[in-house]
Amino acid sequence: MTALPPTDPRALTPAQGRALFRDGLRTPTSGWCDGWTQANLVAVPAAWAYDLLLYAQRNPKPCPVLDVSDEGATSLSILTGDVRTDLPAYRVHVDGELVAEVDDATPYWRDDLVTFLIGCSFTFEDALARAGVPVRHVELGRNVPMYRTNVETRPAGTLHGPLVVSMRPVPASQVADAVRVTSRYPAVHGAPVHVGDPAAIGIADLDAPDYGEAVDVRPGEVPVFWACGVTPQAAITASRPAYAITHAPGHMAITDARDSDYLVP
């Protein structure tokens, strides 16, 4: 029987949230487990792990590495659950093609996989809200909109691809607040990479995100774009490694680390 959504997902501990996902609940995780850090997941064969680590080092804004597992391990120092079952949804990629989207990755797991946990902008959303900056997709109960841009990341080994960004509409008078708040979280993407005209970074239509769900940009608001941890998935599509497992965009790993662990003065 699939687990039912909780009345207040913000109040859950990471272990409680992961148990619900393990029992089959599938939902975007923005707003879940208040104060606990969420992360993007990318698992690649060990033969590709160095390339991914180098790619992340060369592209720290979209790919800030929080933890890396040993080969074949299914838990990490900041996530004591099981990375095969404890996220709400996974994507399986073969030769760069998406071949399955599942809520349990166990049948697809391989003993040679190395798992990377990469910082996620959901981590600073509570800080934005506390500063009075609206977080539209949370207000609407939607997945955050994400877009592939025309900005190329720095290649590493066999990996290359476009920068992916997430977008949050911000009142023009509060853009400086949004920049100030998020710049204090460099390990989870930090300050925005672009403010204003979407076309300047190759986004033709805000109502047609490549991942997630569209939200409205209201009069007096400005679209603000942050680097996104889905960037490695775009690199997988472009670079076509033989095999990879990732989270489904917006359906994150909820770790045992605190948001405050990544806050800088």
Side-chain angles (χ1 to χ4, degrees):
M1 181 177 176
T2 301
L4 297 174
T7 302
D8 184 8
R10 300 181 64 87
L12 299 178
T13 66
Q16 290 170 330
R18 294 194 298 257
L20 290 171
F21 304 144
R22 192 164 54 248
D23 288 342
L25 178 63
R26 180 169 178 161
T27 182
T29 54
S30 181
W32 279 64
C33 302
D34 187 25
W36 298 95
T37 298
Q38 300 195 27
N40 301 269
L41 180 145
V42 187
V44 296
W48 280 76
Y50 177 76
D51 282 4
L52 182 54
L53 188 63
L54 184 61
Y55 182 77
Q57 189 274 335
R58 290 180 176 174
N59 298 280
K61 195 76 169 174
C63 306
V65 174
L66 303 184
D67 205 353
V68 182
S69 78
D70 292 326
E71 182 177 348
T74 57
S75 62
L76 296 90
S77 64
I78 66 168
L79 197 160
T80 56
D82 190 323
V83 295
R84 301 170 298 180
T85 59
D86 289 5
L87 280 68
Y90 302 82
R91 287 185 164 185
V92 182
H93 311 259
V94 176
D95 296 327
E97 299 290 334
L98 177 62
V99 298
E101 187 164 307
V102 297
D103 56 16
D104 182 351
T106 304
Y108 301 91
W109 207 259
R110 295 177 12 174
D111 291 339
D112 65 339
L113 292 180
V114 176
T115 300
F116 290 71
L117 294 180
I118 291 172
C120 172
S121 60
F122 288 176
T123 301
F124 57 57
E125 288 182 342
D126 188 58
L128 285 173
R130 290 197 307 272
V133 179
V135 184
R136 182 68 36 75
H137 64 276
V138 175
E139 295 171 359
L140 298 176
R142 297 179 186 173
N143 199 354
V144 66
M146 295 160 273
Y147 307 84
R148 289 191 294 270
T149 72
N150 61 4
V151 179
E152 285 296 311
T153 56
R154 185 181 173 194
T158 51
L159 287 173
H160 61 90
L163 173 69
V164 175
V165 294
S166 60
M167 190 280 292
R168 295 162 183 82
V170 176
S173 62
Q174 294 181 287
V175 169
D177 293 330
V179 173
R180 174 181 52 81
V181 168
T182 59
S183 66
R184 298 184 66 194
Y185 292 87
V188 292
H189 306 307
V193 295
H194 182 68
V195 176
D197 183 12
I201 53 174
I203 300 171
D205 185 358
L206 287 179
D207 290 330
D210 296 293
Y211 317 90
E213 299 172 273
V215 298
D216 54 319
V217 179
R218 297 171 184 169
E221 293 181 336
V222 178
V224 181
F225 301 89
W226 282 265
C228 179
V230 175
T231 298
Q233 296 192 35
I236 287 168
T237 300
S239 308
R240 306 181 69 81
Y243 199 73
I245 296 175
T246 68
H247 70 293
H251 298 68
M252 316 307 294
I254 300 180
T255 77
D256 300 301
R258 288 281 191 177
D259 292 347
S260 57
D261 295 341
Y262 302 106
L263 174 66
V264 300

